[in-house]
Amino acid sequence: MQGEKFKMREKDYTNICGILENLYEEAKHFYYENKEISIDSSLKSYLDVILSRVEQNKGVLSVLITLLVYKLYNPFQNIKLHRAEFEGGFSGRTLDTKCVTPFMKSKDFPAMKESGWLTRSLEQPHPYDFNYPGKITPKEVKQAFLYIVHEVEDLKKSPKEALLYIFNRLLDIKETTRIKLPRPRNLTIDDILDKLKSHFTHPYASRGRSRLPVLALYAIYRILVKELERYDNKRLADLLPHESPDDKTGMLGDIQVMDMKGKVYEVVEVKDRTIDYGVVLSALEKIRNSPPDRYYILTTHEYAVDERIRGIINQTRSIYGTTLIINGVMQTIKYYLRLVRDPSDFIELYVELLEKDASIKREHKEVWMKLFT
């Protein structure tokens, strides 16, 4: 199947996804049995440059895996010709979007949001040869990337060996950077609150700090819906990704409790800002079509309820039957911790969410660890 004549169909994408999965399983076998992967030394040295910066150069990694797996699937394709408009080219971006990026995400490997070809330095309309003008940085990464393409395409080095080596190294990186977070038990409620406050207010360089109080409240709601009579025959809705807009998801807030008929029963909206008239008015607009029994607006900042806000609270109650409650995050958590049977259960659930939530970065986890060392 010549590159210039071969047209990708849906079954081809399915087959390539299958190749990635099979190579991943083979790489796992090598990794967990501590076996060496046979690979050309020159190719390995260039791959090591890319793999030393997987977080900073996720786009390069994604594009490289796409080129390698397609060369493995269609050996006749010149993988330097990474765009469909090139004579004899193919759509690397489509293959990345359909197969490579979803695969990387499913394995918890460093992944782009959609495709490496959305990175300006990689999507230039020029072949991936030594004259490629894209400003891939740093220079050693660009050089390594172009040399890998050259060695696989021109010197006929094995794309399978390269992929196995990449996946083996990614497994090693994931395992060695996996942080086992402490789950202390027998803390007093005051101890828990002190640790949470420190965790919430640390001056992080990474984004995601505002997600922490949401996770804490969601953890405690997981206990409340099981233990409190108020939540009999109620269920906690799944926690959506951090930046999911409410108007797209249909959610009325960050946390929702539903009744058995699927109606919203209770809502918690968490704000990392001062509560003002606009915030409360926005809450009123959200609940018009599906008013819950209670709607909490909780803030990590100081707050005050003025007369205009009291007016909305009264209006919400009289018109919609919804109790609108404005409070602080820490005050609310303190109150709830006094209601649960074992506050240690809260710590267990909070740490579980810290480990799994995509918005939580390594920095947030390291700060949690330091709080207990």
Side-chain angles (χ1 to χ4, degrees):
M1 47 186 179
Q2 296 295 326
E4 66 271 21
K5 296 180 180 179
F6 183 65
K7 184 176 181 181
M8 291 283 284
R9 299 173 182 172
E10 207 56 40
K11 68 176 183 179
D12 296 302
Y13 294 115
T14 301
N15 290 340
I16 290 172
C17 290
I19 288 173
L20 290 168
E21 291 290 342
N22 290 337
L23 287 172
Y24 172 72
E25 291 301 322
E26 191 173 347
K28 279 173 59 179
H29 174 76
F30 278 99
Y31 180 74
Y32 289 111
E33 293 194 14
N34 201 27
K35 295 180 179 179
E36 289 290 326
I37 291 177
S38 174
I39 184 171
D40 176 85
S41 60
S42 176
L43 188 58
K44 176 180 178 296
S45 67
Y46 291 125
L47 287 169
D48 283 338
V49 174
I50 305 294
L51 291 163
S52 69
R53 293 179 54 87
V54 288
E55 286 294 341
Q56 300 93 327
N57 291 102
K58 289 185 285 190
V60 173
L61 181 65
S62 189
V63 168
L64 182 60
I65 291 172
T66 303
L67 300 179
L68 292 171
V69 75
Y70 194 60
K71 189 65 176 179
L72 184 59
Y73 186 66
N74 181 4
F76 299 101
Q77 175 64 53
N78 182 344
I79 56 173
K80 296 179 183 180
L81 306 177
H82 58 97
R83 294 170 69 111
E85 66 261 35
F86 293 159
E87 184 176 353
F90 74 106
S91 178
R93 175 176 171 176
T94 303
L95 179 56
D96 187 2
T97 303
K98 284 179 172 283
C99 296
V100 175
T101 292
F103 165 81
M104 297 292 280
K105 289 180 178 178
S106 73
K107 307 309 177 196
D108 198 24
F109 287 160
M112 298 295 288
K113 185 176 181 180
E114 181 181 332
S115 166
W117 270 270
L118 293 178
T119 307
R120 183 171 297 180
S121 62
L122 291 161
E123 58 85 35
Q124 302 293 311
H126 301 276
Y128 288 145
D129 56 27
F130 291 122
N131 295 316
Y132 181 70
K135 294 183 179 180
I136 302 169
T137 56
K139 289 183 179 180
E140 58 265 31
V141 169
K142 178 178 181 179
Q143 182 183 41
F145 171 74
L146 294 177
Y147 264 101
I148 293 166
V149 175
H150 164 69
E151 293 210 355
V152 171
E153 180 59 44
D154 300 324
L155 304 184
K156 310 304 178 186
K157 302 287 180 69
S158 170
K160 180 178 179 180
E161 288 179 3
L163 286 166
L164 283 173
Y165 183 75
I166 289 170
F167 295 158
N168 184 277
R169 281 290 311 279
L170 290 176
L171 281 165
D172 185 54
I173 291 168
K174 185 170 73 169
E175 289 297 324
T176 55
T177 58
R178 191 186 300 275
I179 299 176
K180 183 65 176 177
L181 297 179
R183 292 166 160 83
R185 300 193 69 85
N186 301 320
L187 295 176
T188 67
I189 289 177
D190 286 341
D191 288 338
I192 293 173
L193 293 171
D194 286 342
K195 300 298 185 185
L196 288 178
K197 185 176 181 180
S198 297
H199 200 215
F200 295 169
T201 58
H202 183 85
Y204 297 102
S206 308
R207 295 178 63 185
R209 180 177 64 85
S210 61
R211 182 68 160 179
L212 298 174
V214 176
L215 297 184
L217 285 158
Y218 192 79
I220 206 160
Y221 261 87
R222 287 177 64 180
I223 303 172
L224 296 177
V225 294
K226 292 180 180 179
E227 295 187 357
L228 297 193
E229 185 178 347
R230 168 174 167 75
Y231 300 106
D232 285 350
N233 299 315
K234 306 295 186 300
R235 65 175 181 84
L236 187 61
D238 291 340
L239 191 62
L240 295 184
H242 185 33
E243 296 182 355
S244 301
D246 292 344
D247 59 348
K248 301 288 186 182
T249 64
M251 293 281 283
L252 301 182
D254 295 300
I255 298 169
Q256 288 190 173
V257 179
M258 319 293 290
D259 66 20
M260 290 299 105
K261 295 181 180 179
K263 183 180 183 302
V264 181
Y265 176 70
E266 186 165 306
V267 179
V268 179
E269 178 76 358
V270 183
K271 296 294 185 183
D272 190 28
R273 51 167 291 187
T274 302
I275 304 299
D276 58 21
Y277 180 75
V279 170
V280 182
L281 189 61
S282 176
L284 176 60
E285 291 298 321
K286 287 181 181 180
I287 68 173
R288 290 186 189 277
N289 295 325
S290 182
D293 186 70
R294 290 183 187 177
Y295 193 106
Y296 290 88
I297 305 175
L298 306 180
T299 178
T300 54
H301 290 237
E302 296 295 324
Y303 68 96
V305 178
D306 60 25
E307 287 305 311
R308 291 202 302 168
I309 292 177
R310 290 186 192 280
I312 295 180
I313 292 173
N314 293 334
Q315 181 183 356
T316 304
R317 183 64 178 169
S318 61
I319 297 176
Y320 301 104
T322 297
T323 301
L324 184 59
I325 301 169
I326 298 171
N327 203 353
V329 166
M330 296 307 299
Q331 296 95 313
T332 302
I333 293 175
K334 181 177 182 178
Y335 172 73
Y336 283 155
L337 284 173
R338 290 173 172 170
L339 297 179
V340 303
R341 294 193 187 101
D342 185 353
S344 295
D345 293 340
F346 162 76
I347 291 290
E348 181 72 27
L349 293 171
Y350 179 57
V351 171
E352 179 184 313
L353 291 169
L354 290 178
E355 290 177 337
K356 293 181 178 180
D357 194 275
S359 301
I360 303 306
K361 309 303 181 188
R362 183 179 181 89
E363 182 185 13
H364 305 116
K365 297 176 183 178
E366 288 176 341
V367 169
W368 180 258
M369 288 188 67
K370 290 176 182 177
L371 290 173
F372 298 96
T373 56

